[in-house]
Amino acid sequence: MIFTQLIKENLKTQFIGRELEYKSFTDSTNSDIWKLVSDNKAKNGTLIITDDQRKGKGRRENTWISSPEKNLSFSFLLIPQLENTKFGLLSLLSGVGMCEGIEQSCGIVCKLKWPNDILIKNKKVGGILIETKEINN
């Protein structure tokens, strides 16, 4: 069980996660975010989180499954103020940021395996998938 109010109270972000939705299970948090976008119900920083994802997306059409109470999957909407040519940097910056966050908050050294795997002691503990879509320019 994830306590969204506890998360919100302890966030130190300006906008990511301020709009937060917990799903006890979902097919895909990315699909959930895009549904909110298509319904004009998503704000910049909207976060959807689950510990039971059944049809998440991985690279090369692979699925990313999160078993209940054993994993954490989430997606957030970022509306960057970047030129389209710089969107490719988001994946690299996200991975570096995740590893720095893990090291600072947990004291655990992690590494990145290109392009999107987070490794601790050479074992994959997470992955990052970034999807971009152009909507109304």
Side-chain angles (χ1 to χ4, degrees), residues 3 25 32 34 44 59-60 65 70 75 81 83 86 97 103 106-108 110-111:
F3 299 99
F25 70 90
D32 295 336
W34 289 120
N44 195 16
R59 286 189 325 144
R60 298 187 184 112
I65 298 169
K70 295 185 180 185
S75 296
Q81 302 299 311
E83 300 170 17
K86 295 185 179 179
E103 289 179 29
C106 303
I108 298 171
C110 70
K111 297 179 182 177

Side-chain angles (χ1 to χ4, degrees), residues 74 76 91-105 108 110-112 116-118 125-128:
F74 60 91
F76 63 88
S91 182
L92 180 59
L93 293 172
S94 297
V96 170
M98 287 297 296
C99 280
E100 286 182 1
I102 290 168
E103 289 179 29
Q104 288 176 12
S105 63
I108 298 171
C110 70
K111 297 179 182 177
L112 289 176
N116 64 350
D117 294 340
I118 299 168
V125 297
I128 299 167

Side-chain angles (χ1 to χ4, degrees), residues 4-110:
T4 56
Q5 192 58 36
L6 186 61
I7 292 170
K8 285 183 177 183
E9 289 172 3
N10 289 284
L11 278 176
K12 296 177 182 172
T13 62
Q14 293 181 7
F15 66 95
I16 294 178
R18 295 295 168 188
E19 296 290 327
L20 174 62
E21 182 178 340
Y22 167 71
K23 294 189 171 259
S24 57
F25 70 90
T26 186
D27 284 339
S28 165
T29 57
N30 274 21
S31 295
D32 295 336
I33 282 284
W34 289 120
K35 174 77 170 106
L36 288 176
V37 169
S38 68
D39 293 344
N40 285 327
K41 294 182 179 177
K43 295 181 182 177
N44 195 16
T46 297
L47 173 67
I48 296 181
I49 190 167
T50 189
D51 64 347
D52 187 357
Q53 179 172 258
R54 299 171 181 183
K55 296 179 184 175
K57 299 174 189 175
R59 286 189 325 144
R60 298 187 184 112
E61 303 299 318
N62 291 324
T63 57
W64 182 267
I65 298 169
S66 294
S67 302
E69 299 182 14
K70 295 185 180 185
N71 298 280
L72 182 63
S73 294
F74 60 91
S75 296
F76 63 88
L77 177 65
L78 178 62
I79 303 171
Q81 302 299 311
L82 292 175
E83 300 170 17
N84 291 353
T85 58
K86 295 185 179 179
F87 281 172
L89 295 173
L90 291 176
S91 182
L92 180 59
L93 293 172
S94 297
V96 170
M98 287 297 296
C99 280
E100 286 182 1
I102 290 168
E103 289 179 29
Q104 288 176 12
S105 63
C106 303
I108 298 171
V109 176
C110 70

